[in-house]
Amino acid sequence: MDAERPSVYVFVYGTLTDPNRVEAVLGAIPDARYELESDAALEGLRRVEGEYPTLAPDGRVEGRLLAVDERGLEALDRYEGVDHGLYERIAVPCADENVDDSAWIYVGDPDRLGVTERVDWPDGKSLAERVRTHVSRHGVVVRRDE
């Protein structure tokens, strides 16, 4: 990775908290810049389990911040199945002066992921719209652990 710092943050809470998995997903991308950074928490959402983990309203989930460039973000979208509707990428405000306005999170469709726990997002036309509504109404933030 070159010395220039990646410019986009993603809060990761599943397989991408593992440096070896990050390397497997992003290491083969030509000229991609990425860095798995400090521990962080997502406040206002919780992790729920299915075939793959996803998020649900309320609670707190531990994870890490992953800094990536645009090529890395595109690779993460492919890895998370965004084009196939498996996960949606949603912006969440950061409560950290060292991070720009927001970080991305990936929220999976609980029905497609086989989540058995009830997940109640606000009403809306799409999962992305429903998650964005919850994020804005309930003050969901990403906070770097100190």
Side-chain angles (χ1 to χ4, degrees):
M1 186 169 12
D2 67 32
E4 190 175 330
R5 185 171 182 78
S7 60
V8 178
Y9 284 95
V10 179
F11 174 82
V12 294
Y13 57 92
T15 59
L16 291 171
T17 60
D18 175 11
N20 294 326
R21 180 57 62 120
V22 171
E23 181 63 28
V25 173
L26 299 176
I29 307 300
D31 300 320
R33 295 186 330 265
Y34 58 92
E35 183 178 343
L36 190 57
E37 294 194 354
S38 64
D39 292 341
L42 180 61
E43 298 175 356
L45 297 175
R46 70 184 190 283
R47 180 177 163 152
V48 294
E49 300 299 328
E51 185 177 342
Y52 299 104
T54 188
L55 300 169
D58 305 321
R60 175 183 164 101
V61 63
E62 300 294 323
R64 294 183 76 176
L65 282 175
L66 174 59
V68 297
D69 61 8
E70 288 300 321
R71 281 173 286 226
L73 192 60
E74 290 168 6
L76 292 177
D77 282 355
R78 285 190 300 276
Y79 177 75
E80 298 290 0
V82 170
D83 289 347
H84 304 291
L86 196 58
Y87 283 82
E88 297 285 347
R89 180 165 39 98
I90 308 292
V92 172
C94 287
D96 185 334
E97 60 191 41
N98 296 320
V99 177
D100 289 339
D101 296 333
S102 61
W104 294 108
I105 61 171
Y106 288 94
V107 179
D109 181 334
D111 294 331
R112 296 207 46 208
L113 295 175
V115 173
T116 57
E117 181 179 336
R118 184 180 169 128
V119 176
D120 291 320
W121 293 108
D123 290 336
K125 293 180 181 179
S126 67
L127 175 62
E129 180 182 300
R130 294 162 54 208
V131 173
R132 282 189 205 99
T133 298
H134 179 83
V135 165
S136 66
R137 285 183 185 165
H138 296 279
V140 174
V141 296
V142 172
R143 189 177 312 276
R144 201 182 291 261
D145 286 350
E146 310 235 348

